[in-house]
Amino acid sequence: MTKKYKIMIGILVLFLCIAAGGFLYYKMAAPPGEKFLAYHNEELISNIDSQLSGLDMAGIVRNKEKYVIEQEIADIQDNIKDGSLTYEELTAICLYRIKTLDQNKHGFNSVLTINPHAMEEARQKDQERKSRTENTSEIFGIPVLLKDNINTSGIPTSAGAAALADFIPAEDADVAAGLKKRGAIILGKNNLSEFAGYMSSIAPAGYSNAKGQTINPFGPLKISASGSSSGSAVSVTANLAPVSIGTETDGSIVAPASAGSVVGFKPTRSTVSGTGILPLIRQIDTPGPITKSVQDAAVVYNAMSDQAITPAWDKEYLQGKTIGLTSYEYNDKSQVSILKEALQNAGAKVIDITLSQEGVFIFSNIQLTFKKDYEDFASVYGLPVKTLDNLIAFNNKEKETNAKYGQDYLEEAAKKEATDSDEINKSIKKAESVLNTAFRENDLDGIAFLNSTASTLPAAAGFPELTLPLGRDKDGVPQGATLTVPSGEDEALLKMGYSFQEYTKGRINPLETP
């Protein structure tokens, strides 16, 4: 073998080694796509089967499902009042749909845990309704699913983490307590992006090591359910429950609502309690309802927050209102035009505005306080893993089941020994200033944007946001129109949303035959 030939062979071997190394690096570092990964389905199905035992589910579904699917809360209550439906049948239909659509092979996997007493509670609601003479709450007897970072007594609350899968809180988060107080049935808990999206930089949205991958019914494995309230949005769009509760730090309600063609409402931060919800950034986190209509969002908001808003629903409410429309270079221009036209069709005066998000940081600030917030929460509520370092160590013992996509966000936060809230407060104040200036200088009644593209500003500022279905784009991806107003103007925001909803009729049922 000549010297020249040996050199050529050596170069070829070196090239192949580099190529192989590059391929392995890409496989390890490139964000993976979604996969059908669903854990512990048998447990949920067994729970449901035991609760539905003895019922003629074929007959109930055939005769009663029409009184539930795509129905608003008021319609469901009317159907119950006139004898067409009972709370028992309503809850049974929800459980049956979870079993057959969500927990089946290649199902949506949006539900993480089922309340083992849901049917028993539904029968009690039927008895209470018969014996009561006074008006009951609008949410009375309505099944509600909660995102699994919301403490719920008697039901495991894991935030999607394998280490917390068996944690059963002794007391309810304030949100859960408010719903129960007004007669809602807590049907179970929703899957989510683990730790509300603060686990791994390469995990797909909607994945948790406790339950697996949440699937978007509009395009399984092709269209993301978004996050982190993925399961909360999917369960509502698929009519597994009439309503659900999500939480938002930055876009975690409005983004999944957009992706699921449902209504997502993040209220003014000061009007709802975050007590009993595992935090990302305690100063910013806000729970809110995900529903199929603005009217239902108002009902759930009242029940979960001790508010008592009673909007006078008016299709013409947007007439003459001045709405600032903001967009960014990465937005689909045709969809922005559709949003603008929809607002104008509803009677709004639309002006283009620029909103800079420069200097407003949310996600990158989570690391500054997450360790302390997690450990404080673990101490107060008795989590089985008390420190972030111990949580990371637990996950490292069985990485494939406990940290399938890694845990680099947790590891990053664990390095922060001192809590630093100053940067978080700076972002809050900066966001308030940017939005208040825009409202004042343009004399705006509201601000609109596509999907969740400008959510960082109202999320940081604590302003309310309302996302409304806006049909689908040319590729079949659901779109959302998001409106925001100053803090405390939640009722006005809901009235704007109702007007937009009635003019646009953008809600799509992904399971409806075209």
PDB file of all heavy atoms in Angstrom, residues 356-375:
ATOM      1  N   SER A 356     -42.450  47.145  22.314  1.00  0.00           N
ATOM      2  CA  SER A 356     -41.139  46.541  22.503  1.00  0.00           C
ATOM      3  C   SER A 356     -41.122  45.735  23.802  1.00  0.00           C
ATOM      4  O   SER A 356     -41.546  46.217  24.859  1.00  0.00           O
ATOM      5  CB  SER A 356     -40.060  47.622  22.570  1.00  0.00           C
ATOM      6  OG  SER A 356     -38.814  47.045  22.927  1.00  0.00           O
ATOM      7  N   GLN A 357     -40.642  44.495  23.696  1.00  0.00           N
ATOM      8  CA  GLN A 357     -40.505  43.652  24.881  1.00  0.00           C
ATOM      9  C   GLN A 357     -39.074  43.689  25.429  1.00  0.00           C
ATOM     10  O   GLN A 357     -38.741  42.913  26.331  1.00  0.00           O
ATOM     11  CB  GLN A 357     -40.911  42.213  24.538  1.00  0.00           C
ATOM     12  CG  GLN A 357     -42.351  42.110  24.036  1.00  0.00           C
ATOM     13  CD  GLN A 357     -42.794  40.686  23.780  1.00  0.00           C
ATOM     14  OE1 GLN A 357     -42.825  39.860  24.686  1.00  0.00           O
ATOM     15  NE2 GLN A 357     -43.143  40.387  22.534  1.00  0.00           N
ATOM     16  N   GLU A 358     -38.284  44.615  24.914  1.00  0.00           N
ATOM     17  CA  GLU A 358     -36.901  44.750  25.361  1.00  0.00           C
ATOM     18  C   GLU A 358     -36.853  45.101  26.852  1.00  0.00           C
ATOM     19  O   GLU A 358     -37.569  45.977  27.323  1.00  0.00           O
ATOM     20  CB  GLU A 358     -36.194  45.845  24.558  1.00  0.00           C
ATOM     21  CG  GLU A 358     -34.717  45.977  24.877  1.00  0.00           C
ATOM     22  CD  GLU A 358     -34.017  47.033  24.042  1.00  0.00           C
ATOM     23  OE1 GLU A 358     -34.664  47.592  23.126  1.00  0.00           O
ATOM     24  OE2 GLU A 358     -32.840  47.318  24.318  1.00  0.00           O
ATOM     25  N   GLY A 359     -36.029  44.389  27.575  1.00  0.00           N
ATOM     26  CA  GLY A 359     -35.873  44.642  29.003  1.00  0.00           C
ATOM     27  C   GLY A 359     -36.903  43.954  29.872  1.00  0.00           C
ATOM     28  O   GLY A 359     -36.896  44.118  31.093  1.00  0.00           O
ATOM     29  N   VAL A 360     -37.805  43.172  29.250  1.00  0.00           N
ATOM     30  CA  VAL A 360     -38.816  42.423  30.010  1.00  0.00           C
ATOM     31  C   VAL A 360     -38.506  40.938  29.868  1.00  0.00           C
ATOM     32  O   VAL A 360     -38.617  40.370  28.782  1.00  0.00           O
ATOM     33  CB  VAL A 360     -40.244  42.720  29.509  1.00  0.00           C
ATOM     34  CG1 VAL A 360     -41.257  41.923  30.315  1.00  0.00           C
ATOM     35  CG2 VAL A 360     -40.530  44.211  29.597  1.00  0.00           C
ATOM     36  N   PHE A 361     -38.100  40.329  30.966  1.00  0.00           N
ATOM     37  CA  PHE A 361     -37.693  38.926  30.946  1.00  0.00           C
ATOM     38  C   PHE A 361     -38.544  38.143  31.948  1.00  0.00           C
ATOM     39  O   PHE A 361     -38.765  38.591  33.063  1.00  0.00           O
ATOM     40  CB  PHE A 361     -36.217  38.776  31.313  1.00  0.00           C
ATOM     41  CG  PHE A 361     -35.299  39.618  30.471  1.00  0.00           C
ATOM     42  CD1 PHE A 361     -34.787  40.823  30.954  1.00  0.00           C
ATOM     43  CD2 PHE A 361     -34.965  39.216  29.193  1.00  0.00           C
ATOM     44  CE1 PHE A 361     -33.946  41.599  30.181  1.00  0.00           C
ATOM     45  CE2 PHE A 361     -34.121  39.991  28.403  1.00  0.00           C
ATOM     46  CZ  PHE A 361     -33.609  41.184  28.889  1.00  0.00           C
ATOM     47  N   ILE A 362     -39.006  36.985  31.505  1.00  0.00           N
ATOM     48  CA  ILE A 362     -39.727  36.110  32.423  1.00  0.00           C
ATOM     49  C   ILE A 362     -39.031  34.756  32.500  1.00  0.00           C
ATOM     50  O   ILE A 362     -38.480  34.384  33.534  1.00  0.00           O
ATOM     51  CB  ILE A 362     -41.211  35.944  32.022  1.00  0.00           C
ATOM     52  CG1 ILE A 362     -41.960  37.274  32.164  1.00  0.00           C
ATOM     53  CG2 ILE A 362     -41.878  34.885  32.914  1.00  0.00           C
ATOM     54  CD1 ILE A 362     -43.436  37.197  31.834  1.00  0.00           C
ATOM     55  N   PHE A 363     -39.020  34.023  31.383  1.00  0.00           N
ATOM     56  CA  PHE A 363     -38.497  32.662  31.444  1.00  0.00           C
ATOM     57  C   PHE A 363     -37.055  32.622  31.935  1.00  0.00           C
ATOM     58  O   PHE A 363     -36.700  31.787  32.771  1.00  0.00           O
ATOM     59  CB  PHE A 363     -38.615  31.972  30.075  1.00  0.00           C
ATOM     60  CG  PHE A 363     -38.422  30.496  30.155  1.00  0.00           C
ATOM     61  CD1 PHE A 363     -39.483  29.662  30.464  1.00  0.00           C
ATOM     62  CD2 PHE A 363     -37.167  29.924  29.976  1.00  0.00           C
ATOM     63  CE1 PHE A 363     -39.308  28.285  30.581  1.00  0.00           C
ATOM     64  CE2 PHE A 363     -36.974  28.561  30.086  1.00  0.00           C
ATOM     65  CZ  PHE A 363     -38.048  27.728  30.382  1.00  0.00           C
ATOM     66  N   SER A 364     -36.227  33.508  31.436  1.00  0.00           N
ATOM     67  CA  SER A 364     -34.817  33.501  31.840  1.00  0.00           C
ATOM     68  C   SER A 364     -34.630  33.905  33.293  1.00  0.00           C
ATOM     69  O   SER A 364     -33.557  33.698  33.877  1.00  0.00           O
ATOM     70  CB  SER A 364     -34.000  34.430  30.939  1.00  0.00           C
ATOM     71  OG  SER A 364     -34.471  35.763  31.025  1.00  0.00           O
ATOM     72  N   ASN A 365     -35.678  34.463  33.908  1.00  0.00           N
ATOM     73  CA  ASN A 365     -35.596  34.864  35.317  1.00  0.00           C
ATOM     74  C   ASN A 365     -36.058  33.775  36.283  1.00  0.00           C
ATOM     75  O   ASN A 365     -35.894  33.924  37.502  1.00  0.00           O
ATOM     76  CB  ASN A 365     -36.430  36.119  35.563  1.00  0.00           C
ATOM     77  CG  ASN A 365     -35.723  37.394  35.124  1.00  0.00           C
ATOM     78  OD1 ASN A 365     -34.511  37.407  34.942  1.00  0.00           O
ATOM     79  ND2 ASN A 365     -36.479  38.470  34.960  1.00  0.00           N
ATOM     80  N   ILE A 366     -36.644  32.702  35.756  1.00  0.00           N
ATOM     81  CA  ILE A 366     -37.151  31.650  36.647  1.00  0.00           C
ATOM     82  C   ILE A 366     -36.034  31.103  37.526  1.00  0.00           C
ATOM     83  O   ILE A 366     -36.233  30.832  38.722  1.00  0.00           O
ATOM     84  CB  ILE A 366     -37.804  30.516  35.829  1.00  0.00           C
ATOM     85  CG1 ILE A 366     -39.052  31.034  35.106  1.00  0.00           C
ATOM     86  CG2 ILE A 366     -38.187  29.343  36.737  1.00  0.00           C
ATOM     87  CD1 ILE A 366     -39.664  30.032  34.137  1.00  0.00           C
ATOM     88  N   GLN A 367     -34.846  30.950  36.950  1.00  0.00           N
ATOM     89  CA  GLN A 367     -33.715  30.394  37.698  1.00  0.00           C
ATOM     90  C   GLN A 367     -33.351  31.206  38.936  1.00  0.00           C
ATOM     91  O   GLN A 367     -32.752  30.689  39.871  1.00  0.00           O
ATOM     92  CB  GLN A 367     -32.499  30.307  36.779  1.00  0.00           C
ATOM     93  CG  GLN A 367     -32.069  31.666  36.260  1.00  0.00           C
ATOM     94  CD  GLN A 367     -30.758  31.641  35.524  1.00  0.00           C
ATOM     95  OE1 GLN A 367     -29.802  31.008  35.986  1.00  0.00           O
ATOM     96  NE2 GLN A 367     -30.694  32.316  34.395  1.00  0.00           N
ATOM     97  N   LEU A 368     -33.728  32.479  38.949  1.00  0.00           N
ATOM     98  CA  LEU A 368     -33.319  33.355  40.048  1.00  0.00           C
ATOM     99  C   LEU A 368     -34.015  33.027  41.364  1.00  0.00           C
ATOM    100  O   LEU A 368     -33.469  33.282  42.436  1.00  0.00           O
ATOM    101  CB  LEU A 368     -33.601  34.818  39.674  1.00  0.00           C
ATOM    102  CG  LEU A 368     -32.927  35.342  38.402  1.00  0.00           C
ATOM    103  CD1 LEU A 368     -33.346  36.780  38.135  1.00  0.00           C
ATOM    104  CD2 LEU A 368     -31.408  35.235  38.517  1.00  0.00           C
ATOM    105  N   THR A 369     -35.231  32.471  41.283  1.00  0.00           N
ATOM    106  CA  THR A 369     -35.999  32.221  42.507  1.00  0.00           C
ATOM    107  C   THR A 369     -36.550  30.807  42.615  1.00  0.00           C
ATOM    108  O   THR A 369     -37.130  30.445  43.640  1.00  0.00           O
ATOM    109  CB  THR A 369     -37.190  33.202  42.602  1.00  0.00           C
ATOM    110  OG1 THR A 369     -38.001  33.066  41.429  1.00  0.00           O
ATOM    111  CG2 THR A 369     -36.718  34.641  42.724  1.00  0.00           C
ATOM    112  N   PHE A 370     -36.388  29.996  41.556  1.00  0.00           N
ATOM    113  CA  PHE A 370     -37.063  28.699  41.539  1.00  0.00           C
ATOM    114  C   PHE A 370     -36.630  27.798  42.691  1.00  0.00           C
ATOM    115  O   PHE A 370     -37.453  27.128  43.321  1.00  0.00           O
ATOM    116  CB  PHE A 370     -36.831  27.986  40.208  1.00  0.00           C
ATOM    117  CG  PHE A 370     -37.581  26.685  40.100  1.00  0.00           C
ATOM    118  CD1 PHE A 370     -38.929  26.670  39.794  1.00  0.00           C
ATOM    119  CD2 PHE A 370     -36.935  25.470  40.326  1.00  0.00           C
ATOM    120  CE1 PHE A 370     -39.630  25.469  39.709  1.00  0.00           C
ATOM    121  CE2 PHE A 370     -37.622  24.268  40.242  1.00  0.00           C
ATOM    122  CZ  PHE A 370     -38.975  24.273  39.935  1.00  0.00           C
ATOM    123  N   LYS A 371     -35.343  27.767  42.983  1.00  0.00           N
ATOM    124  CA  LYS A 371     -34.858  26.881  44.049  1.00  0.00           C
ATOM    125  C   LYS A 371     -35.524  27.215  45.379  1.00  0.00           C
ATOM    126  O   LYS A 371     -36.056  26.323  46.054  1.00  0.00           O
ATOM    127  CB  LYS A 371     -33.339  26.988  44.175  1.00  0.00           C
ATOM    128  CG  LYS A 371     -32.752  26.076  45.256  1.00  0.00           C
ATOM    129  CD  LYS A 371     -31.233  26.150  45.290  1.00  0.00           C
ATOM    130  CE  LYS A 371     -30.674  25.194  46.336  1.00  0.00           C
ATOM    131  NZ  LYS A 371     -29.189  25.208  46.349  1.00  0.00           N
ATOM    132  N   LYS A 372     -35.513  28.474  45.744  1.00  0.00           N
ATOM    133  CA  LYS A 372     -36.119  28.873  47.016  1.00  0.00           C
ATOM    134  C   LYS A 372     -37.634  28.663  47.000  1.00  0.00           C
ATOM    135  O   LYS A 372     -38.216  28.162  47.975  1.00  0.00           O
ATOM    136  CB  LYS A 372     -35.816  30.326  47.337  1.00  0.00           C
ATOM    137  CG  LYS A 372     -36.354  30.778  48.701  1.00  0.00           C
ATOM    138  CD  LYS A 372     -35.989  32.204  49.014  1.00  0.00           C
ATOM    139  CE  LYS A 372     -36.342  32.566  50.456  1.00  0.00           C
ATOM    140  NZ  LYS A 372     -37.762  32.314  50.778  1.00  0.00           N
ATOM    141  N   ASP A 373     -38.274  29.030  45.882  1.00  0.00           N
ATOM    142  CA  ASP A 373     -39.728  28.867  45.810  1.00  0.00           C
ATOM    143  C   ASP A 373     -40.131  27.408  45.898  1.00  0.00           C
ATOM    144  O   ASP A 373     -41.094  27.059  46.595  1.00  0.00           O
ATOM    145  CB  ASP A 373     -40.256  29.472  44.500  1.00  0.00           C
ATOM    146  CG  ASP A 373     -40.318  30.984  44.543  1.00  0.00           C
ATOM    147  OD1 ASP A 373     -40.153  31.561  45.637  1.00  0.00           O
ATOM    148  OD2 ASP A 373     -40.534  31.607  43.481  1.00  0.00           O
ATOM    149  N   TYR A 374     -39.383  26.530  45.219  1.00  0.00           N
ATOM    150  CA  TYR A 374     -39.687  25.096  45.293  1.00  0.00           C
ATOM    151  C   TYR A 374     -39.508  24.578  46.719  1.00  0.00           C
ATOM    152  O   TYR A 374     -40.375  23.873  47.255  1.00  0.00           O
ATOM    153  CB  TYR A 374     -38.799  24.295  44.335  1.00  0.00           C
ATOM    154  CG  TYR A 374     -38.959  22.798  44.540  1.00  0.00           C
ATOM    155  CD1 TYR A 374     -40.000  22.114  43.940  1.00  0.00           C
ATOM    156  CD2 TYR A 374     -38.091  22.087  45.387  1.00  0.00           C
ATOM    157  CE1 TYR A 374     -40.185  20.745  44.161  1.00  0.00           C
ATOM    158  CE2 TYR A 374     -38.259  20.730  45.606  1.00  0.00           C
ATOM    159  CZ  TYR A 374     -39.309  20.059  44.994  1.00  0.00           C
ATOM    160  OH  TYR A 374     -39.490  18.720  45.223  1.00  0.00           O
ATOM    161  N   GLU A 375     -38.390  24.936  47.334  1.00  0.00           N
ATOM    162  CA  GLU A 375     -38.096  24.393  48.664  1.00  0.00           C
ATOM    163  C   GLU A 375     -39.028  24.967  49.729  1.00  0.00           C
ATOM    164  O   GLU A 375     -39.407  24.269  50.673  1.00  0.00           O
ATOM    165  CB  GLU A 375     -36.626  24.627  48.991  1.00  0.00           C
ATOM    166  CG  GLU A 375     -35.724  23.795  48.083  1.00  0.00           C
ATOM    167  CD  GLU A 375     -34.234  24.012  48.290  1.00  0.00           C
ATOM    168  OE1 GLU A 375     -33.870  24.895  49.109  1.00  0.00           O
ATOM    169  OE2 GLU A 375     -33.431  23.321  47.631  1.00  0.00           O
TER     170      GLU A 375
END
